[in-house]
Amino acid sequence: MRRSRTAAFIAAIIASVTIVLGNNVRLNPGQAQTASGELTVDDLRARLRVPDGYSESFQFLGSYAVAAGPGEDPGDLHTVFASPGTVRGYLDNGRFADGAVLVKEVFAATAEAMTTGHVSRAAELKGWFVMVKDGQGRIAADPLWGDGWGWAWFDAPSPTRTSTKDYRAECLGCHVPAQGTDWVYVRSYPPLR
Amino acid sequence: MRRSRTAAFIAAIIASVTIVLGNNVRLNPGQAQTASGELTVDDLRARLRVPDGYSESFQFLGSYAVAAGPGEDPGDLHTVFASPGTVRGYLDNGRFADGAVLVKEVFAATAEAMTTGHVSRAAELKGWFVMVKDGQGRIAADPLWGDGWGWAWFDAPSPTRTSTKDYRAECLGCHVPAQGTDWVYVRSYPPLR
């Protein structure tokens, strides 16, 4: 009896280790998975926000310097991150796993003379674009979800409350050229190549 | 007797969990620490290379779009990463911890018209700058070490063999304006602000 209780205790410790290693990210409410690893619809919905601690736990994908036109300094600097395991899953399976979260920070850029040249870097944070993979299209009757993803923009002061209302009108247009790679500009992200 | 053996087993499991959580990075040879947490000189030296798996395990600090001058498209895109725990340590203590590793990727940039504007992004990888914090200045008689850091450049095909020979001649010049913040352009990195 004592032995089986001890064994159960050890099993619980090992199980908790596995959970820690498999989810190396500060989880937001709703980011837990079911025992089978299947995400619930509520889990998916809860991920459509700026994830707590993503700058520490998410993997960097790539950055963009965005100018109005040639010959102009970049006005914005974009930096893109993926939730833990997303890159590895994409490289293994050629697709984004259900529940994968992509975060794009949008900064105003500032340019100045530095020792390496005329350099643009991040100044104030304007906000974040967040995409959450809904691989089975389970969230259908919601104007922030469709085409295999949840889509939302968050102004810098409001990381949990989106100001967008309709991804088709407010998000999708910019992604049309990337439709062939599941609406994501994969070629811009060295870890996904 | 059985009880104490079980307790020892549980303690061993808990200890291994602690090690896994505290070193959440694929360690290179020489990146192990002594039992007291003190790095040996050999440990420090072994870190002066491009760390295995850094793009997954390191924390992104910031990026630069580097043009030759105003009105020109960026020729290079730089993306900078810090070893796990470096940012948290810096925010807590106001300095880089002994053994902290900074990696700057240098990409050739490519510009094109995208839906958001005239956008520069990473094309081919040219190589990496690596800095390793030697907080106590223990490595003195080595031309790649000094001013509190190890400094080296690695061409893209050679992540473990530096082509630089003397950090004073080849690295330090570009960092002089950042001498007041331990030679690092801290203000460019949002997680350090």
Side-chain angles (χ1 to χ4, degrees), chain A residues 88-111:
Chain A
R88 196 172 292 182
Y90 186 88
L91 295 176
D92 288 347
N93 307 314
R95 59 186 169 76
F96 294 101
D98 207 38
V101 181
L102 304 181
V103 176
K104 178 191 264 187
E105 299 171 332
V106 176
F107 288 94
T110 180

Side-chain angles (χ1 to χ4, degrees), chain B residues 103-186:
Chain B
V103 175
K104 177 192 267 187
E105 299 171 331
V106 176
F107 287 93
T110 182
E112 64 181 317
M114 295 181 78
T115 51
T116 48
H118 181 72
V119 181
S120 297
R121 60 175 174 84
E124 312 81 51
L125 179 68
K126 294 181 172 182
W128 303 266
F129 287 110
V130 177
M131 294 173 71
V132 178
K133 186 66 194 170
D134 177 16
Q136 304 162 56
R138 289 185 291 164
I139 304 178
D142 184 322
L144 292 180
W145 294 80
D147 288 297
W149 295 90
W151 315 65
W153 164 261
F154 300 84
D155 292 310
S158 305
T160 60
R161 190 183 305 178
T162 178
S163 57
T164 42
K165 306 220 178 313
D166 183 340
Y167 86 94
R168 283 189 181 83
E170 297 171 278
C171 305
L172 200 64
C174 279
H175 290 253
V176 165
Q179 183 171 1
T181 48
D182 198 13
W183 306 97
V184 177
Y185 289 90
V186 169

Side-chain angles (χ1 to χ4, degrees), chain B:
Chain B
M1 176 61 184
R2 180 188 296 165
R3 195 172 192 109
S4 76
R5 235 191 269 162
T6 307
F9 180 48
I10 292 171
I13 290 175
I14 291 172
S16 67
V17 176
T18 309
I19 289 167
V20 168
L21 292 179
N23 280 299
N24 181 26
V25 49
R26 270 185 251 163
L27 294 172
N28 297 325
Q31 281 200 320
Q33 298 188 351
T34 63
S36 68
E38 175 91 356
L39 289 166
T40 67
V41 166
D42 284 348
D43 293 334
L44 278 183
R45 284 188 187 281
R47 292 190 183 197
L48 194 55
R49 49 162 284 175
V50 180
D52 289 337
Y54 74 89
S55 72
E56 194 167 353
S57 59
F58 276 37
Q59 182 171 356
F60 176 71
L61 288 185
S63 60
Y64 301 96
V66 182
E72 299 196 40
D73 279 344
D76 284 347
L77 200 72
H78 296 181
T79 38
V80 184
F81 301 81
S83 51
T86 296
V87 168
R88 196 171 292 181
Y90 186 88
L91 295 176
D92 287 348
N93 307 314
R95 58 185 169 78
F96 294 100
D98 208 37
V101 181
L102 304 181
V103 175
K104 177 192 267 187
E105 299 171 331
V106 176
F107 287 93
T110 182
E112 64 181 317
M114 295 181 78
T115 51
T116 48
H118 181 72
V119 181
S120 297
R121 60 175 174 84
E124 312 81 51
L125 179 68
K126 294 181 172 182
W128 303 266
F129 287 110
V130 177
M131 294 173 71
V132 178
K133 186 66 194 170
D134 177 16
Q136 304 162 56
R138 289 185 291 164
I139 304 178
D142 184 322
L144 292 180
W145 294 80
D147 288 297
W149 295 90
W151 315 65
W153 164 261
F154 300 84
D155 292 310
S158 305
T160 60
R161 190 183 305 178
T162 178
S163 57
T164 42
K165 306 220 178 313
D166 183 340
Y167 86 94
R168 283 189 181 83
E170 297 171 278
C171 305
L172 200 64
C174 279
H175 290 253
V176 165
Q179 183 171 1
T181 48
D182 198 13
W183 306 97
V184 177
Y185 289 90
V186 169
R187 63 183 173 151
S188 300
Y189 304 134
L192 296 179
R193 286 173 195 164

